[in-house]
């Protein structure tokens, strides 16, 4: 007599038919009428991702070039001394600093609650993500502190910081909804 | 007085009509086979939205290739093979994309891991479906094709373009992970 594996037995008993949650026919019929090029297969979707990646790469290169240009162009003594109070960036950075700290505190609270309920393995990617946000915020703070107030790279760094704050808030709100 | 109900056309007649461009006949074929095609897609990709998209892809491709269906096997068998090939291509493309892209979304990843965690003393269907969905792509593909769909390991290896030993190892891994998840 052989022992049967209950998992395999259960797998073989799974229903083969699973009905989709909606009627897919209207979209299929529309695509049947369309020229063959409109068939959006996985390779086409992959190509779109690939194009996106080239765009991201290009924007990254542009940002790096702007940073280098900013450092080279703004030499000490050649520019008037920056008036911190007249620089919109200074106030913005202080506001962003506070906004990030608040968002991070909120994330930590939600994360702690979730990690109490969930297994450690489920919590690990969230902790890693929060650490990545911290690293991002810290490097942006350092960069903003070293870049002259009227440097053309400053708005780009500020935009990155705003994005980091937004991603922190987004992570928190998605965790709350889970 | 009785009203005569017209007999349902046979599948062969529907295929012939669809080959001639009859979309209503093809719609009937879709209605008859959608659940089977979607079920296969869903188990293989473990994502309802992608499974719907792939089901649409499969039927659009079937419509365009219907003249290649020789009628030697049942239409369902032909559709099943067409869908399996389509999904395997998609999974390969997704594997390549994941290697190129950033790590998985942390919230989705946490949610997926959380759902694999709850222990179950009795293997019920939903627990098993959830555990299968949480398997890594390679292990899930082999397990679904071998243990749910009943494909021989040799044929799975040929379709996936990998050695039979790799398929055996993935199947073994899938069973081990399922046992752990359903403990």
């Amino acid at each position: 007599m052989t022992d049967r594996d209950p998992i395999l037995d259960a797998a073989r008993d799974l229903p083969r038919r699973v009905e989709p949650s909606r009627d897919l026919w209207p979209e299929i019929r529309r695509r049947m009428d369309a020229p063959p090029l409109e068939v959006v297969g996985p390779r086409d979707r992959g190509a779109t991702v690939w194009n996106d990646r080239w765009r991201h790469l290009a924007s990254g290169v542009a940002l790096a070039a702007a940073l280098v240009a900013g450092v080279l162009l703004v030499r000490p003594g050649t520019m008037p001394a920056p008036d911190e109070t007249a620089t919109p960036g200074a106030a913005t950075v202080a506001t962003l600093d506070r906004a990030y700290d608040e968002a991070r505190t909120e994330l930590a609270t939600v994360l702690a609650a979730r990690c109490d309920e969930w297994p450690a393995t489920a919590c690990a990617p969230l902790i890693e993500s929060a650490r990545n946000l911290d690293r991002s915020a810290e490097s942006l703070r350092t960069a903003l502190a070293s870049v002259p107030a009227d440097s053309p790279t400053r708005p780009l760094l500020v935009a990155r910081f705003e994005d980091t704050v937004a991603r922190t808030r987004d992570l928190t709100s998605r965790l709350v909804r889970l | 007085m009785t009203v005569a109900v017209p007999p349902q056309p046979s599948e062969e007649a529907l295929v012939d009509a669809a080959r001639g461009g009859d979309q209503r006949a093809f719609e009937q074929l879709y209605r008859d086979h959608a659940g089977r095609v979607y079920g296969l897609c869903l188990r293989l990709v473990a994502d309802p939205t992608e499974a719907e998209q792939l089901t649409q892809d499969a039927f659009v491709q079937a419509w365009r290739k219907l003249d290649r269906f020789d009628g030697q096997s049942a239409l369902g068998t032909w559709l099943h093979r067409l869908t399996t090939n389509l999904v395997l291509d998609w999974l390969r493309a997704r594997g390549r994309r994941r290697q190129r892209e950033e790590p998985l979304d942390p919230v989705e990843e946490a949610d997926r891991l959380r759902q694999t965690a709850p222990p179950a003393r009795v293997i019920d269907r939903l627990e098993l479906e959830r555990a299968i969905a949480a398997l890594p792509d390679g292990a899930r593909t082999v397990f679904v094709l071998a243990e749910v769909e009943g494909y021989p390991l040799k044929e799975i290896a040929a379709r996936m373009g990998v050695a039979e030993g790799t398929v055996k190892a993935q199947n073994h891994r899938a069973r081990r992970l399922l046992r752990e998840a359903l403990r």
Side-chain angles (χ1 to χ4, degrees):
Chain A
M1 185 182 146
T2 56
D3 284 336
R4 290 166 63 88
D5 184 336
I7 292 177
L8 295 188
D9 286 346
R12 283 163 197 154
D13 287 342
L14 287 173
R16 301 289 187 276
R17 290 186 71 94
V18 181
E19 296 303 326
S21 60
R22 64 190 176 91
D23 186 6
L24 305 177
W25 175 250
E27 178 64 12
I28 292 170
R29 191 176 58 188
R30 190 190 66 74
R31 290 174 56 190
M32 280 160 55
D33 291 335
L37 278 178
E38 210 204 331
V39 176
V40 182
R43 292 183 195 288
D44 300 312
R45 289 198 287 272
T48 307
V49 171
W50 186 237
N51 292 340
D52 287 347
R53 288 186 60 78
W54 276 112
R55 253 198 311 279
H56 289 144
L57 182 64
S59 66
V61 169
L63 177 60
L67 276 166
V68 171
V71 170
L72 290 176
L73 286 173
V74 183
R75 287 172 297 171
T78 59
M79 303 288 287
D83 178 358
E84 284 292 324
T85 55
T87 308
T92 307
V93 172
T95 309
L96 279 172
D97 263 341
R98 276 197 302 277
Y100 181 75
D101 288 342
E102 285 168 14
R104 188 62 182 81
T105 304
E106 199 180 345
L107 173 62
T109 307
V110 175
L111 199 51
R114 288 287 180 260
C115 289
D116 279 347
E117 302 162 4
W118 294 355
T121 48
C123 208
L126 298 169
I127 291 172
E128 183 56 30
S129 188
R131 283 188 186 136
N132 285 338
L133 288 166
D134 282 343
R135 283 188 208 112
S136 176
E138 193 50 41
S139 63
L140 286 164
R141 277 174 173 151
T142 306
L144 281 163
S146 61
V147 168
D150 53 356
S151 164
T153 62
R154 198 171 184 84
L156 295 170
L157 293 169
V158 168
R160 282 286 176 95
F161 206 166
E162 285 171 342
D163 180 57
T164 303
V165 174
R167 281 190 290 134
T168 308
R169 288 178 178 149
D170 178 61
L171 184 60
T172 307
S173 65
R174 292 174 63 204
L175 276 179
V176 168
R177 287 199 299 271
L178 266 186
Chain B
M1 181 181 147
T2 57
V3 178
V5 178
Q8 171 85 10
S10 68
E11 185 164 278
E12 196 180 351
L14 287 170
V15 170
D16 280 344
R19 274 203 193 105
D22 184 341
Q23 292 194 354
R24 290 177 71 91
F26 191 71
E27 179 181 358
Q28 187 55 53
L29 292 172
Y30 160 79
R31 304 266 170 228
D32 293 344
H33 293 278
R36 187 78 178 85
V37 169
Y38 177 74
L40 177 63
C41 293
L42 182 64
R43 288 215 176 90
L44 285 172
V45 304
D47 180 327
T49 308
E50 290 294 354
E52 287 183 358
Q53 181 68 46
L54 285 162
T55 302
Q56 290 176 8
D57 291 350
F59 278 99
V60 172
Q61 203 174 99
W63 169 253
R64 300 213 163 109
K65 291 183 172 175
L66 206 52
D67 55 344
R68 297 187 208 170
F69 172 57
D70 58 12
Q72 297 282 321
S73 59
L75 180 74
T77 308
W78 181 75
L79 266 176
H80 196 274
R81 286 177 185 277
L82 180 149
T83 306
T84 304
N85 289 337
L86 187 76
V87 177
L88 289 178
D89 278 349
W90 184 88
L91 285 167
R92 274 192 284 269
R94 180 166 79 169
R96 287 194 295 272
R97 285 199 300 276
R98 279 187 175 172
Q99 283 174 357
R100 292 195 303 258
E101 286 170 1
E102 305 216 337
L104 294 173
D105 178 284
V107 177
E108 285 179 14
E109 180 69 353
D111 197 29
R112 185 181 75 83
L113 290 166
R114 176 174 67 107
Q115 291 188 28
T116 62
R121 288 178 184 280
V122 179
I123 301 173
D124 72 17
R125 190 169 75 77
L126 286 178
E127 290 287 350
L128 180 59
E129 294 274 23
R130 193 185 289 175
I132 292 173
L135 288 172
D137 278 356
R140 187 180 61 250
T141 303
V142 169
F143 185 83
V144 168
L145 291 178
E147 309 301 347
V148 181
E149 299 294 337
Y151 280 98
L153 295 182
K154 197 170 183 176
E155 185 175 344
I156 297 170
R159 282 172 174 244
M160 292 177 75
V162 297
E164 193 176 343
T166 306
V167 170
K168 280 183 184 165
Q170 289 281 28
N171 197 26
H172 180 76
R173 183 182 177 214
R175 288 160 69 167
R176 180 176 55 79
L177 290 171
L178 288 174
R179 269 197 298 275
E180 286 170 10
L182 298 168
R183 200 164 43 209

